[in-house]
């Protein structure tokens, strides 16, 4: 099917568009489960991951990046996004099949990430208008080709100031939503001063079009206790007021991240306090080696809360 030209929203009209989105209510317990997939290139398939029918399940393809694919190292392309997930396995037909067999599944794509072919990924632009125009065009084609439902923003290093990042990404999300290309958007910050300054600027200006905050709580030190995890969670409620903040953990084999058991204990505590909006996991590629046991546990916890 031929793609129509994506519509651009003049910057002057964006305040009116944002006003159409009602402010989000304070998050409460929900059954949202999200998982990144495809970044490690080890053949993991969407159909490998257990899906509990009693949760809202989002796969997040990792990653699309506005960097070149044909140069080594890759270089920035000013908003012209290319596929950097394992697209030989995570294909349009695979997306269609998992959504057809599981009506509770949505699929999104994450933008950015920390590295590309072992080199850092930077948010880098030529100008706000050109980056936004290129991003809308390239992502609209990709999202329609794969029949995706949303996007996730996961830039972690920046060659632009917070206000520029906020304007670029905010206009991108607002326009994709207005054009009917996506239904939801999330951001994926972690507790680093530069990262937080950029994402909090985005939240301050465009929070009304951001549905979920995939906060990388696993980036805290491995000595973190469940009580400290909950305190960190409460800190982010203050940093992103009104946001739907998800708890998280990583199945990557490392001794430096918050342990999975600690994260799950914190999730239970947050749920008992009515604050567990959802859980996301980084990343299915590693979980595959562990039989996806933590995906099963996390989804059971979320499904149990909504069945009570």
């Amino acid at each position: 099917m031929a793609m129509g030209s994506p519509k651009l929203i003049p910057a002057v009209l964006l305040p009116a568009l944002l006003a159409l989105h009602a402010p989000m209510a304070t998050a409460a317990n929900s059954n949202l489960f999200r998982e990144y997939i495809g970044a490690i290139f080890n053949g993991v398939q969407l159909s490998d991951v257990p899906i509990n029918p009693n949760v809202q399940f989002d796969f997040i393809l990792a990653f699309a990046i506005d960097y070149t694919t044909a140069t080594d190292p890759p270089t920035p392309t000013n908003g012209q996004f290319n596929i950097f997930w394992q697209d030989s396995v995570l294909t349009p037909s695979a997306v269609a099949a998992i959504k057809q067999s599981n009506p509770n599944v949505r699929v999104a794509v994450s933008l950015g990430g920390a590295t590309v072919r072992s080199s850092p990924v930077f948010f880098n632009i030529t100008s706000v208008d050109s980056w936004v125009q290129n991003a809308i065009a390239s992502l609209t084609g990709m999202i329609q080709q794969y029949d995706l439902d949303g996007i996730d923003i996961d830039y972690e290093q920046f060659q632009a100031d917070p206000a520029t990042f906020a304007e670029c990404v905010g206009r991108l999300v607002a326009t994709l939503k207005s054009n009917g290309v996506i239904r939801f958007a999330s951001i994926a910050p972690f507790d680093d001063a530069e990262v937080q300054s950029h994402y909090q600027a985005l939240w301050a200006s465009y929070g009304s079009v951001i549905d979920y905050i995939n906060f990388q709580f696993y980036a805290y030190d491995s000595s973190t206790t469940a009580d400290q995890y909950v305190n960190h969670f409460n800190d982010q409620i203050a940093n992103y007021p009104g946001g739907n903040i998800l708890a998280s953990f990583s199945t990557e084999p490392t001794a430096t991240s918050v342990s999975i058991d600690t994260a799950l204990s914190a999730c239970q505590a947050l749920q008992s306090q009515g604050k567990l909006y959802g859980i996301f996991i980084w990343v299915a590629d590693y979980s595959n080696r562990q039989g996806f046991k933590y995906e099963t546990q996390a989804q059971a916890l979320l499904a149990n809360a909504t069945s009570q």
Side-chain angles (χ1 to χ4, degrees):
M1 179 166 47
M3 305 294 180
S5 298
K7 295 180 290 183
L8 297 176
I9 298 178
V12 70
L13 297 181
L14 282 172
L17 169 64
L18 293 171
L20 296 176
H21 294 266
M24 290 174 290
T26 301
N29 288 343
S30 90
N31 66 343
L32 178 61
F33 178 82
R34 319 188 83 203
E35 178 140 39
Y36 292 84
I37 188 170
I40 312 302
F41 283 71
N42 64 0
V44 66
Q45 302 182 54
L46 299 170
S47 57
D48 292 335
V49 183
I51 298 170
N52 187 316
N54 296 314
V55 303
Q56 172 64 63
F57 194 114
D58 290 350
F59 282 109
I60 305 174
L61 301 173
F63 292 94
I65 313 174
D66 54 331
Y67 270 58
T68 57
T69 57
T71 61
D72 192 14
T75 57
T77 58
N78 191 42
Q80 298 182 33
F81 282 85
N82 292 304
I83 291 171
F84 283 89
W85 70 79
Q86 192 173 11
D87 60 340
S88 60
V89 175
L90 304 172
T91 61
S93 60
V95 170
I98 202 71
K99 291 170 73 171
Q100 183 175 8
S101 58
N102 299 275
N104 59 321
V105 165
R106 306 180 298 187
V107 183
V109 58
S110 185
L111 311 183
T115 62
V116 56
R117 297 178 188 163
S118 302
S119 296
V121 171
F122 290 96
F123 179 77
N124 176 290
I125 73 165
T126 302
S127 70
V128 172
D129 288 344
S130 63
W131 188 93
V132 170
Q133 183 169 355
N134 289 339
I136 290 167
S138 59
L139 288 171
T140 295
M142 185 186 300
I143 290 165
Q144 292 180 344
Q145 178 188 2
Y146 278 79
D147 190 24
L148 303 180
D149 304 290
I151 63 172
D152 174 65
I153 309 299
D154 187 31
Y155 285 102
E156 302 187 4
Q157 291 135 142
F158 308 89
Q159 292 174 333
D161 61 48
T164 301
F165 174 73
E167 187 64 14
C168 286
V169 174
R171 283 172 58 180
L172 170 64
V173 172
T175 304
L176 290 177
K177 280 193 166 185
S178 177
N179 288 354
V181 177
I182 61 171
R183 292 188 287 144
F184 59 86
S186 59
I187 58 176
F190 56 96
D191 199 357
D192 168 88
E194 183 183 32
V195 169
Q196 290 281 63
S197 69
H198 283 74
Y199 283 95
Q200 286 180 263
L202 173 60
W203 182 256
S205 297
Y206 287 92
S208 61
V209 294
I210 297 168
D211 301 279
Y212 316 118
I213 300 169
N214 286 8
F215 200 85
Q216 299 181 46
F217 289 101
Y218 46 86
Y220 287 107
D221 187 81
S222 59
S223 65
T224 302
T225 66
D227 286 344
Q228 289 171 331
Y229 189 115
V230 171
N231 289 336
H232 291 319
F233 191 96
N234 290 331
D235 290 341
Q236 302 319 316
I237 291 176
N239 286 333
Y240 299 92
N244 295 321
I245 299 172
L246 277 70
S248 61
F249 58 85
S250 171
T251 56
E252 183 174 358
T254 174
T256 59
S257 295
V258 174
S259 77
I260 297 173
D261 288 342
T262 294
L264 286 170
S265 294
C267 287
Q268 291 175 318
L270 289 166
Q271 192 177 71
S272 71
Q273 298 170 21
K275 297 178 181 177
L276 187 63
Y277 189 84
I279 300 170
F280 81 86
I281 295 178
W282 172 266
V283 56
D285 311 45
Y286 290 125
S287 302
N288 195 24
R289 305 168 187 172
Q290 303 159 358
F292 299 103
K293 62 180 180 180
Y294 298 112
E295 281 77 359
T296 300
Q297 290 180 35
Q299 290 179 75
L301 179 63
L302 294 168
N304 180 61
T306 55
S307 65
Q308 293 176 352

